[in-house]
Amino acid sequence: DDLGVVAVGFSNGQRKSGVDAAPMALIEAGLLDQLRDELDFKVTYDGQVHSYTDVIPKEDPDHRNMKMPRTVSAVTRKLSEQVYEHASKGRCVLTLGGDHSIAIGSIAGVAKATRERIGREIAVIWVDAHADINTPETSDSGNIHGMPVAFLTGLAKGDNEEMFGWIKDDQKISVTKLVYIGLRDIDIGEKKILRENGIKAFSMRDVDKYGIGKVTDMALGWIGSDTPIHLSFDIDSLDPQWAPSTGTPVRGGLTLREGDYIAESVAETGNLVAMDLVEVNPSLEAHGASETVRAGCSIVRCALGDTLL
Ligand code: ARG
Ligand code: MN
Ligand code: MN
Ligand code: MN
């Protein structure tokens, strides 16, 4: 199997430094070697952690309450082109972040390539403590890593090419093909958006009530078999006990085993076309950093087909 890997050292979708060091940490922990040697992937990786400094503007004042809007827009645009390159050649694409704003680029690239290649819309499984569906208007923080889903679904509109206006219809996803797992910290404006758009979401309460097996079945049932899947996995979906080194940790999360289970189940469908692993920040909670990195490696291996037996 062919795998395209894009490493994105980007942290400007939020305000804590260090999340840009995650791709190197994951790769140094042996992730790509494991994918090659143990899972037999033919890995295409340019050997670089991209920070796309060439497209970052010198000045980037707040706009509509967004922090670093031109920077995030330009970087995710570049990333979308790189991911598109891989996906249009039929490769499964692994994007290593970086904060979760990078999903604007990875999903835009995969959505477009999948439409062109097989004429299908992708489904997105968003595993996260957060819904990341704030619009610039509903966000309290102004951090764009809390907004990617709003831009990708068209619920938030870009202003112009420099400010997310580059995201065209063929790069967008449908709210009906989006499903969340692991939610437990949703802003008031986000709750309204989820409700008004009938977006399918499984919170930690659903995991408590039904168990991870049933929740995963329901999530996969919602998007339907035979639909190409993009898995966007925020490491903060896991409980801080398993993944303490992340910018916005929230207690009461998934166990590592539950996270692996979701990833294994997505692999089992045979429909995975791309995945993101985001929000690992090795500089936070230093003593838990290697554990968080290992958790991230485990999730990726599971999603790409590693099995227990
Ligand atoms: N809802 C909060 C915000 O919009 C937190 C978002 C956290 N996002 C993340 N990708 N970790 O600022
Ligand atoms: Mn999150
Ligand atoms: Mn909150
Ligand atoms: Mn997130």
Side-chain angles (χ1 to χ4, degrees), residues 44-300:
T44 306
Y45 170 52
D46 59 12
Q48 299 179 49
V49 176
H50 293 268
S51 42
Y52 307 107
T53 43
D54 51 317
V55 299
I56 294 183
K58 283 190 190 63
E59 280 184 53
D60 196 357
D62 294 2
H63 178 73
R64 287 164 66 199
N65 179 44
M66 287 183 278
K67 308 285 176 203
M68 314 288 279
R70 299 160 196 80
T71 301
V72 181
S73 176
V75 164
T76 53
R77 183 181 197 167
K78 265 283 207 230
L79 171 61
S80 76
E81 291 162 7
Q82 231 185 322
V83 168
Y84 172 84
E85 270 313 297
H86 285 300
S88 61
K89 296 191 173 94
R91 295 178 194 133
C92 182
V93 190
L94 169 64
T95 303
L96 301 174
D99 71 63
H100 219 161
S101 67
I102 64 153
I104 295 174
S106 62
I107 292 178
V110 171
K112 180 176 154 95
T114 307
R115 277 192 173 90
E116 290 177 2
R117 262 173 52 80
I118 56 173
R120 298 289 304 272
E121 251 188 68
I122 58 166
V124 172
I125 304 182
W126 195 277
V127 184
D128 203 323
H130 311 93
D132 296 344
I133 198 165
N134 272 305
T135 65
E137 288 68 34
T138 66
S139 170
D140 283 333
S141 67
N143 295 332
I144 299 175
H145 78 154
M147 308 179 195
V149 181
F151 281 108
L152 286 163
T153 52
L155 292 168
K157 304 259 179 290
D159 293 80
N160 49 45
E161 291 277 303
E162 278 76 58
M163 220 97 73
F164 301 109
W166 60 267
I167 309 171
K168 300 294 184 289
D169 282 349
D170 62 349
Q171 293 160 301
K172 289 181 186 164
I173 57 169
S174 153
V175 286
T176 61
K177 287 203 155 58
L178 165 67
V179 58
Y180 288 103
I181 304 177
L183 302 185
R184 58 192 182 279
D185 181 14
I186 313 301
D187 299 338
I188 294 181
E190 293 184 297
K191 286 187 187 166
K192 191 152 173 273
I193 292 171
L194 294 176
R195 231 182 290 122
E196 285 175 353
N197 293 281
I199 293 171
K200 199 67 176 171
F202 297 97
S203 68
M204 284 312 297
R205 183 177 162 76
D206 294 305
V207 175
D208 297 338
K209 183 169 176 181
Y210 301 109
I212 196 65
K214 187 87 200 298
V215 163
T216 304
D217 280 352
M218 291 189 286
L220 291 171
W222 174 258
I223 61 184
S225 55
D226 182 43
T227 303
I229 298 172
H230 184 119
L231 174 64
S232 200
F233 200 103
D234 185 328
I235 203 71
D236 73 27
S237 61
L238 302 183
D239 192 89
Q241 194 179 336
W242 281 273
S245 299
T246 189
T248 50
V250 190
R251 290 184 296 175
L254 300 169
T255 63
L256 175 55
R257 188 52 226 148
E258 287 169 334
D260 281 348
Y261 181 87
I262 296 167
E264 288 164 355
S265 304
V266 171
E268 221 174 44
T269 67
N271 294 329
L272 185 74
V273 291
M275 98 170 273
D276 316 314
L277 181 74
V278 298
E279 299 285 352
V280 171
N281 187 334
S283 73
L284 300 172
E285 294 293 326
H287 54 278
S290 61
E291 205 181 343
T292 309
V293 167
R294 275 202 305 279
C297 292
S298 179
I299 298 288
V300 172

